[in-house]
Amino acid sequence: MLKFFSRALASLQQLGLLAAVVWMTTLPAHAAGSVVPASSMPWWFWPLALFVTCFLIGIVAVPAGIGGGTLFVPIIGGFFPFHLDFVRGAGLLVALASALAAGPMLLRGGLASVRLALPLALLACMSSIVGALLGLALPASVIQIALGLIVLGIVALMLAAKKSEFPHVAQPDRLSSALGIHGVFVDGASGRAIDWQVHRTPLGLVVFLLIGVMAGMFGIGAGWANVPALNLLMGVPLKVSAGTSGLVLSLVDSSAAWVYLNRGAVLPMITVPSVVGMMLGARIGARLLHVLKGSVIRKMVITLLLFAGLRALLKGLGVWI
Amino acid sequence: MTSEKLTAAQQLHAQEQRDESQRYAFLLDWSTRLGVLALLLAFASYVFGILPPHVPLDQLPSLWNLPVDSYLQRTATPAGWGWLALAFHGDLSNLVGIGLLAGSSIAPLLGLMLLYAKRKDWVYAVICAVIFAVLLLAASGLLTGGH
């Protein structure tokens, strides 16, 4: 019975993703110029479509291990009639809301380290403001092209990057020792206490400086970059990397979101349906997490990202308008 | 490195980290709940017409495709904190909830700063203070010229 239920849920999930792809390909396409052609649909159609799309994105984002914001900007920017300024503003709020919703649970579960997150977040917060100011100053077509390239880069990273559950750190670096960045977490799967420490902290700080610029410029959150940087570069255990990434995001996206808010680039009619749809979808996605094949969902999301990345690139170049 | 039994120093460090996490989690949780609640109430009052919008709903499809500067000019919407004076309008009242969400980390940062100061962990107290200052600077609108 349980097996049948699991299979049914998995089929439902795959059907959901397929529906998302079909749904998006049927939405009218819009130009990448600084003014996007107005839609002839009634005003309520697009917020409703946005809610449904974000709900579907939320469902697939959790099992695929990717932040909803990463899927949001290329998909909504590519297939909805909103200007990219407002899409990025909403994208940051979507990524922020997801990080804020998960943060307390991750902290209480010992999966996010405050001592590790704070120095990284300090630099990334500052650079995300620079990224947001740059993003709002550059022409929309330039941002679309850069966004397309970044999303295709994320696809490459997802395909190529290996993960290490418990990386071996022989010797912590001096900076991490001085800051007391180390800890113990109890692995829920094995019940073992894992004693972790980090290395290459100065390089990690530089990487997070760049991550902050990208997060602010494109409004896509940065979990896709945070986790490999923490896990593969600094040697943080995978689960602690994922948890700490959320904590860093909650601070980085806050500072960039204020820049968009102050520039007037946060439209409630775009932002609120997106945030609510994504949060509801993510709750269902989290419940389906145990019954779904993560690898299958991951491959489907990579395909979706590849499609959205190519769309953003070609739209920016004026090839696919 | 894995170990079944932790040394006394490791246990102390783990306990300190748990205290930091618990305090941050508690304050973040309640700040976020407050922001989400304000956002939902404001959006409901906007969509159901309880508060009149600054920009009529049926005009949105011809405006949300414009770059932000053109949108602000066409709708006479102020940038920076100017919206606060118009927050009795349904659409702009949502910015209160959005602002609360964007400021959710302020209270946990202050809570941690006090904890670190009490422990005389000045490095981390200063890191918290600088992040707090960066967030305040971003929120002030000074950098975006919309103050």
Side-chain angles (χ1 to χ4, degrees), chain A residues 176-191:
Chain A
S176 72
S177 298
L179 291 172
I181 303 176
H182 57 91
V184 179
F185 91 100
V186 179
D187 183 32
S190 61

Side-chain angles (χ1 to χ4, degrees), chain A residues 34-39 41-44 46-47 81-83 85-86 93 96-97 99-101 103-105 107-108 110 112-119 121-122 125-126 129 133 136 166-168 179-184 191-197 247 250-251 254-273 275-276 279, chain B residues 1-4 6 10 13-14 16-17 20-22 24-30 32-33 36 39-40 43 46-47 57-72 78-81 83 90-92 94-95 98-106 109 112 116 119 121 123-124 127-128 130-131 134-135 137-146:
Chain A
S34 63
V35 177
V36 183
S39 163
M41 304 300 282
W43 72 267
W44 50 263
W46 290 107
F82 312 131
H83 195 275
D85 287 347
F86 300 119
L93 265 302
L96 175 65
L100 289 172
M105 196 177 66
L107 281 161
R108 290 186 182 118
S113 167
V114 173
R115 290 192 84 82
L116 173 60
L118 288 178
L122 170 63
C125 271
M126 290 196 263
I129 295 174
L133 290 170
L136 285 165
F166 307 114
H168 176 66
L179 291 172
I181 303 176
H182 57 91
V184 179
R192 284 187 311 176
I194 313 292
D195 185 14
W196 61 268
Q197 52 192 6
L247 192 56
S250 69
L251 290 161
S254 278
S255 53
W258 276 114
V259 175
Y260 281 83
L261 192 57
N262 280 316
R263 280 296 306 274
V266 176
L267 269 191
M269 192 50 82
I270 299 175
T271 305
V272 182
V275 168
V276 176
M279 285 176 112
Chain B
M1 186 164 66
T2 64
S3 57
E4 294 301 325
L6 304 174
Q10 283 174 324
H13 189 69
E16 281 183 349
Q17 292 212 11
E20 293 164 13
S21 298
Q22 293 294 334
Y24 198 93
F26 175 78
L27 293 169
L28 189 66
D29 202 2
W30 282 102
T32 305
R33 284 179 195 209
V36 171
L39 193 62
L40 292 178
F43 194 70
Y46 173 31
V47 173
L57 290 167
D58 56 359
Q59 285 183 22
L60 281 174
S62 62
L63 293 166
W64 58 33
N65 55 329
L66 301 172
V68 61
D69 291 332
S70 307
Y71 173 88
L72 296 178
W81 283 89
W83 60 266
D91 42 359
L92 296 175
N94 283 268
L95 300 184
I98 291 171
L100 283 173
L101 267 187
S104 291
S105 298
I106 297 282
L109 277 173
L112 267 193
Y116 288 132
R119 281 188 201 154
D121 187 346
V123 174
Y124 270 85
I127 289 175
C128 287
V130 177
I131 297 176
V134 170
L135 288 177
L137 181 66
S140 70
L142 288 172
L143 297 170
T144 45

Side-chain angles (χ1 to χ4, degrees), chain A:
Chain A
M1 184 66 184
L2 191 68
K3 207 171 173 181
F4 171 76
F5 184 63
S6 303
R7 276 186 191 165
L9 275 177
S11 307
L12 194 70
Q13 172 98 3
Q14 289 174 12
L15 201 69
L17 193 79
L18 190 68
V21 175
V22 173
W23 167 255
M24 280 179 304
T25 50
T26 55
L27 291 173
H30 299 279
S34 63
V35 177
V36 183
S39 163
S40 56
M41 304 300 282
W43 72 267
W44 50 263
F45 173 80
W46 290 107
L48 193 65
L50 197 56
F51 175 80
V52 173
T53 307
C54 288
F55 181 72
L56 293 171
I57 291 175
I59 292 177
V60 296
V62 176
I66 188 167
T70 309
L71 286 164
F72 178 86
V73 176
I75 289 173
I76 305 303
F79 299 97
F80 281 68
F82 312 131
H83 195 275
L84 201 54
D85 287 347
F86 300 119
V87 175
R88 284 177 295 154
L92 271 171
L93 265 302
V94 163
L96 175 65
S98 308
L100 289 172
M105 196 177 66
L106 294 167
L107 281 161
R108 290 186 182 118
L111 291 173
S113 167
V114 173
R115 290 192 84 82
L116 173 60
L118 288 178
L120 302 172
L122 170 63
L123 292 179
C125 271
M126 290 196 263
S127 61
S128 73
I129 295 174
V130 176
L133 290 170
L134 265 176
L136 285 165
L138 290 169
S141 56
V142 173
I143 295 291
Q144 279 282 12
I145 294 168
L147 177 67
L149 293 173
I150 290 283
V151 172
L152 294 177
I154 295 171
V155 170
L157 191 70
M158 285 180 80
L159 286 170
K162 290 172 184 157
K163 287 175 181 168
S164 178
E165 194 83 21
F166 307 114
H168 176 66
V169 176
Q171 185 74 32
D173 60 87
R174 277 193 290 180
L175 183 58
S176 72
S177 298
L179 291 172
I181 303 176
H182 57 91
V184 179
F185 91 100
V186 179
D187 183 32
S190 61
R192 284 187 311 176
I194 313 292
D195 185 14
W196 61 268
Q197 52 192 6
V198 302
H199 57 185
R200 305 188 196 114
T201 306
L203 186 57
L205 290 169
V206 174
V207 169
F208 272 83
L209 207 61
L210 299 174
I211 289 173
V213 174
M214 283 192 287
M217 187 180 282
F218 301 111
I220 53 176
W224 56 273
N226 287 349
V227 177
L230 286 164
N231 181 233
L232 300 175
L233 177 70
M234 297 178 71
V236 181
L238 189 58
K239 287 181 183 173
V240 181
S241 298
T244 304
S245 162
L247 192 56
V248 174
L249 270 183
S250 69
L251 290 161
V252 175
D253 290 344
S254 278
S255 53
W258 276 114
V259 175
Y260 281 83
L261 192 57
N262 280 316
R263 280 296 306 274
V266 176
L267 269 191
M269 192 50 82
I270 299 175
T271 305
V272 182
S274 309
V275 168
V276 176
M278 190 76 76
M279 285 176 112
L280 289 176
R283 286 179 80 95
I284 293 183
R287 285 185 184 193
L288 293 176
L289 196 60
H290 302 292
V291 293
L292 292 169
K293 260 196 163 180
S295 59
V296 176
I297 299 298
R298 195 174 165 80
K299 278 176 196 163
M300 293 173 89
V301 167
I302 286 173
T303 312
L304 197 62
L305 269 179
L306 187 65
F307 182 59
L310 280 172
R311 168 82 177 120
L313 184 62
L314 296 176
K315 189 175 169 181
L317 292 168
V319 177
W320 180 10
I321 293 174

